[in-house]
Amino acid sequence: MLPRHHNLIENGHLPRICKTVGGEDASRRGAFARGTELIFSVYAPRRLGVTAVTLRIARDGEAAADLPFAFVDSARGVDEYRLTLTLDKAFCRGEDALFYYEILFSRGAETLYTDSVNNMDFTLSAQSAGRFRLLVYRADFQVPEWFAGGTMYHIFVDRFRRGVPERAPRADARLNPDWEKGIPDYPERAGDAFDNNTFFGGDLEGVREKLDYLSSLGVTVIYLCPIFKSHSNHKYDTGDYEQVDEMFGGEEALRDLIRAAKEKGIRLILDGVFNHTGDDSRYFNRYGNYDSLGAYQSPDSPYFDWYRFDKHPDRYDAWWGIDILPKLNHGCEACRQFFVGEGGIVQRYLQMGIGGWRLDVADELSDEFLDELRSRAKQTSRDALIIGEVWENAADKIAYGKRRRYFRGTQLDSVMNYPLKDAILAFVLHGDASCLYNTVTELYSSYPPLVCDALMNLLGTHDTARILSVLGGAPLEKMENRELARFRLSVEQRRMAIARLKVASTLQFTLPGVPSVYYGDEAGLEGGRDPFCRMPYPWGREEEDLVEHYRFLGGLRAKHSVFRHGALCFWEYREHLVAYTRESKDERLLILANSGERAEALSLPSAWTDVATGERMCGSVSLEPMSARVLSEQAFL
């Protein structure tokens, strides 16, 4: 850990803290496999007056224990202290654990405490303050290797591409034929109920038709919003998990897409909405549209215990109180087994050939359900990928009053990296390089390294305003729906937004993890909050320069293996400027980003080549306003 700031102690007086595992430096890590022998080394300047060093460590929710460091040596005015911590079953008292720790420096009657804001860098404080996390995960925890280094493309199926234009809508649906200028139906006020049953006609055949286009972007995995039969166009109100919606082409279209994608080296991830169903479903059947006896219809329903009723039939648990989304009761064995049991939904589609699942509202799924889901998925396919929708740091997330254990080896492989999205926006919109540095440092030191390489790095989704509109600087959150329906950026706003998006996406594609492109972002689609972030893809009207930029980024990841497991090292960060490397034993790339209005210069200690232009440089590099560059160290070319 190399401290960058100080409060009580001058920078030259600060101790240095190192962690090593098997003789290798692990100082920038805070998550380790069970059984690891972790050696802490503290180098304290003698002028600091330290007489003893102590590790104060607490298992999550328990009292802390003090473990003394041993004095090792003194040289050149620096005292070395060392402590070995074996993260075995005895220490963890189980398969996995979360600890918090701080290091205490005694000097006479005074004690100084490490104070960290990003889980790595620290200052010294006169009282206990920001502690470090130490996550211990199962030694057999593995994340599918095929995902790391790839590029994801996120599709809201109804709005991506019409493969069968003449397909008639269901009786309970309406079709909007205006793909180019049509606007999604919307309620008068955000959050008001409305039917969501107007379709634009996108389907799975349309996705299959555009696999060559997706391949040109370097896409290796497609994440589809829900495709199961339901009333709505968004399909987060599942009606029947065992049927692919006929509006999307049914199961045959899904099988055809899986086969065609596999031929191009692309895997499919499905959206698992397992926390709730629609009230118009085979299981609840509030309106009698299914040939089943639903829980709403009778306590004698085989699905009655799948839900929790306060008073049958109209008072029941629903997701966020939205009565069209009755919440499933996974405490019911039959309900749980329907999803995660032998032959259940999780297994059924994995056996069909999908690459994995993205779990909707993972915070609301119980630990037991997630444990069983992962177990079933990995039994079915060792390469199955499990991604959770988690909006915060998932290492020590508390949801509904309970600490979650997503990354200890029995639940998730990855999460949607919303904190990184927010940090990239803070840098691109406001020049806040410290926010970006601290967020990246905290995230990647909190998670197991194999998780870091598989994080779903996003800038936009079906739940957020279009990234281009956000980067245009318009006050989207203050607009009424009727304004958002027809709002478009001005020519100048759009020009600036595109420049900002090129910088933001360069960061997204080069930081550890897997970039996820929300359909149409690469083509320049605009839009405010849901449902305006779900406009039809502008085929034939794309922002070609932006598409080419995304092709370059996708090709960059395909060409350079350093993006699979390469180490991350920040060279510099200051207002409007960040510089970091991705390094492996075979190559080193330097990523530079300037979010300011003036050019920035950066010194270079060796010779480098711009991977986009081929320009060679030595001594320094110049960055134009609102721009990013990727350089390759010449020695590795």
Side-chain angles (χ1 to χ4, degrees):
M1 305 178 194
L2 298 179
R4 298 186 61 99
H5 309 290
H6 63 278
N7 53 2
L8 292 179
I9 307 298
E10 294 180 7
N11 200 39
H13 291 187
L14 270 171
R16 184 164 60 93
I17 301 172
C18 295
K19 298 196 291 279
T20 55
V21 174
E24 296 186 359
D25 182 35
S27 298
R28 305 302 294 178
R29 287 172 53 191
F32 300 90
R34 189 167 62 87
T36 298
E37 185 180 77
L38 184 61
I39 300 175
F40 287 86
S41 298
V42 170
Y43 302 89
R46 199 170 304 148
R47 56 187 172 179
L48 186 58
V50 172
T51 56
V53 180
T54 304
L55 178 75
R56 180 165 290 172
I57 187 166
R59 186 185 177 98
D60 183 36
E62 299 182 7
D66 285 353
L67 305 177
F69 280 71
F71 175 79
V72 176
D73 196 8
S74 183
R76 296 186 178 87
V78 176
D79 295 334
E80 180 183 356
Y81 298 82
R82 188 175 298 165
L83 171 66
T84 299
L85 202 61
T86 303
L87 308 177
D88 55 16
K89 194 169 184 177
F91 179 78
C92 297
R93 301 204 309 277
E95 293 293 324
D96 53 73
L98 175 66
F99 297 88
Y100 292 94
Y101 71 91
E102 56 193 337
I103 296 178
L104 284 59
F105 298 89
S106 302
R107 51 178 197 173
E110 184 183 21
T111 300
L112 297 176
Y113 302 77
T114 51
D115 178 8
S116 178
V117 296
N118 61 18
N119 203 45
M120 282 291 114
D121 302 329
F122 66 92
T123 61
L124 292 180
S125 174
Q127 59 188 8
S128 181
R131 298 178 297 167
F132 301 108
R133 294 183 195 85
L134 174 61
L135 179 67
V136 183
Y137 54 90
R138 287 174 57 112
D140 61 355
F141 182 27
Q142 294 183 342
V143 173
E145 177 65 20
W146 63 264
F147 189 55
T151 297
M152 174 183 276
Y153 195 82
H154 174 186
I155 295 178
F156 190 91
V157 179
D158 181 57
R159 310 294 159 80
F160 180 65
R161 172 76 174 180
R162 287 177 182 160
V164 183
E166 68 275 11
R167 178 177 286 130
R170 294 193 312 261
D172 64 340
R174 295 183 293 117
L175 187 66
N176 186 334
D178 190 354
W179 189 271
E180 292 191 8
K181 298 180 181 178
I183 298 171
D185 288 347
Y186 58 90
E188 182 179 347
R189 293 180 299 274
D192 284 356
F194 75 114
D195 208 14
N196 258 323
N197 70 333
T198 297
F199 291 74
F200 281 81
D203 52 29
L204 296 174
E205 291 98 332
V207 178
R208 180 164 52 82
E209 286 180 358
K210 289 298 180 179
L211 287 175
D212 284 340
Y213 166 71
L214 297 178
S215 291
S216 78
L217 297 175
V219 170
T220 57
V221 56
I222 297 170
Y223 155 44
L224 299 174
C225 280
I227 61 171
F228 304 127
K229 182 177 177 64
S230 74
H231 173 79
S232 71
N233 51 51
H234 58 72
K235 308 215 171 298
Y236 284 93
D237 56 339
T238 312
D240 190 338
Y241 293 96
E242 297 180 274
Q243 292 190 56
V244 176
D245 199 286
E246 62 265 38
M247 293 287 288
F248 291 169
E251 185 173 308
E252 182 181 358
L254 175 61
R255 290 183 180 274
D256 287 345
L257 176 58
I258 292 171
R259 283 193 294 267
K262 184 178 180 180
E263 291 174 359
K264 297 187 179 297
I266 298 174
R267 306 201 195 200
L268 262 63
I269 300 294
L270 296 188
D271 211 328
V273 187
F274 302 148
N275 174 72
H276 51 268
T277 67
D279 62 345
D280 185 10
S281 68
R282 173 171 299 283
Y283 321 101
F284 203 73
N285 210 5
R286 183 173 183 174
Y287 311 105
N289 290 329
Y290 288 82
D291 59 355
S292 61
L293 183 64
Y296 184 88
Q297 296 168 307
S298 171
D300 295 328
S301 167
Y303 306 113
F304 183 77
D305 290 334
W306 286 32
Y307 303 91
R308 292 188 179 94
F309 290 89
D310 292 328
K311 184 177 181 181
H312 189 268
D314 293 316
R315 288 170 52 186
Y316 48 86
D317 284 356
W319 183 68
W320 285 30
I322 301 172
D323 66 356
I324 64 170
L325 299 175
K327 187 173 170 63
L328 286 161
N329 171 24
H330 292 142
C332 168
E333 181 73 9
C335 175
R336 194 170 67 256
Q337 291 302 310
F338 175 78
F339 294 103
V340 301
E342 180 72 30
I345 295 302
V346 167
Q347 184 176 72
R348 171 183 176 141
Y349 289 95
L350 285 170
Q351 290 176 333
M352 196 179 294
I354 69 167
W357 293 93
R358 176 266 189 189
L359 302 180
D360 188 55
V361 293
D363 290 342
E364 304 197 28
L365 300 174
S366 70
D367 282 332
E368 294 73 22
F369 184 84
L370 290 176
D371 288 340
E372 291 186 55
L373 187 150
R374 181 184 183 85
S375 177
R376 181 62 61 191
K378 301 298 183 178
Q379 287 173 20
T380 307
S381 170
R382 291 181 59 189
D383 280 343
L385 180 71
I386 310 297
I387 302 175
E389 181 191 11
V390 180
W391 289 58
E392 300 83 14
N393 186 316
D396 62 352
K397 172 72 184 288
I398 293 177
Y400 298 93
K402 185 176 182 180
R403 181 83 68 191
R404 304 310 302 264
R405 47 181 175 84
Y406 299 129
F407 289 150
R408 302 191 202 177
T410 64
Q411 296 187 352
L412 304 179
D413 293 316
S414 174
V415 290
M416 302 175 75
N417 202 352
Y418 279 100
L420 179 63
K421 165 187 176 287
D422 294 339
I424 289 176
L425 290 181
F427 172 73
V428 174
L429 287 173
H430 309 297
D432 194 343
S434 292
C435 175
L436 179 60
Y437 169 78
N438 284 324
T439 299
V440 167
T441 299
E442 178 183 352
L443 288 175
Y444 297 130
S445 66
S446 298
Y447 299 161
L450 63 173
V451 170
C452 296
D453 295 328
L455 288 171
M456 182 178 165
N457 292 347
L458 54 93
L459 291 178
T461 74
H462 62 285
D463 286 325
T464 62
R466 281 282 173 181
I467 185 61
L468 198 66
S469 296
V470 172
L471 294 176
L476 303 173
E477 67 282 354
K478 297 180 180 179
M479 294 185 183
E480 299 291 339
N481 278 355
R482 62 179 179 275
E483 297 176 85
L484 288 173
R486 287 177 168 76
F487 174 78
R488 296 295 179 269
L489 298 173
S490 68
V491 172
E492 178 56 29
Q493 284 176 320
R494 188 172 171 88
R495 182 196 66 78
M496 177 54 71
I498 290 172
R500 287 170 170 168
L501 181 53
K502 288 181 178 180
V503 174
S505 56
T506 301
L507 298 173
Q508 175 196 15
F509 272 67
T510 57
L511 285 165
V514 176
S516 176
V517 179
Y518 183 44
Y519 83 98
D521 279 351
E522 83 283 9
L525 262 186
E526 298 180 26
R529 59 180 173 264
D530 167 20
F532 308 109
C533 56
R534 304 172 181 180
M535 302 289 283
Y537 188 100
W539 296 110
R541 296 170 286 115
E542 299 92 337
E543 191 79 43
E544 286 295 342
D545 178 59
L546 196 54
V547 173
E548 285 304 312
H549 168 75
Y550 275 88
R551 284 200 177 104
F552 164 74
L553 292 177
L556 184 74
R557 290 183 62 82
K559 181 179 179 181
H560 295 277
S561 62
V562 72
F563 294 117
R564 182 175 292 275
H565 299 300
L568 170 71
C569 179
F570 271 85
W571 273 27
E572 185 171 349
Y573 66 91
R574 60 178 188 261
E575 187 177 20
H576 293 298
L577 178 71
V578 293
Y580 56 86
T581 59
R582 297 298 308 276
E583 306 179 21
S584 68
K585 64 179 181 179
D586 299 318
E587 67 175 337
R588 178 160 63 164
L589 298 182
L590 174 61
I591 294 88
L592 309 167
N594 175 13
S595 65
E597 297 179 355
R598 64 182 184 185
E600 295 281 355
L602 189 73
S603 298
L604 296 175
S606 56
W608 297 78
T609 298
D610 189 305
V611 300
T613 65
E615 177 189 355
R616 297 192 175 193
M617 59 202 74
C618 186
S620 67
V621 60
S622 178
L623 272 175
E624 294 301 312
M626 195 56 67
S627 69
R629 301 182 77 167
V630 180
L631 311 183
S632 178
E633 194 166 26
Q634 219 165 333
F636 291 104
L637 292 178

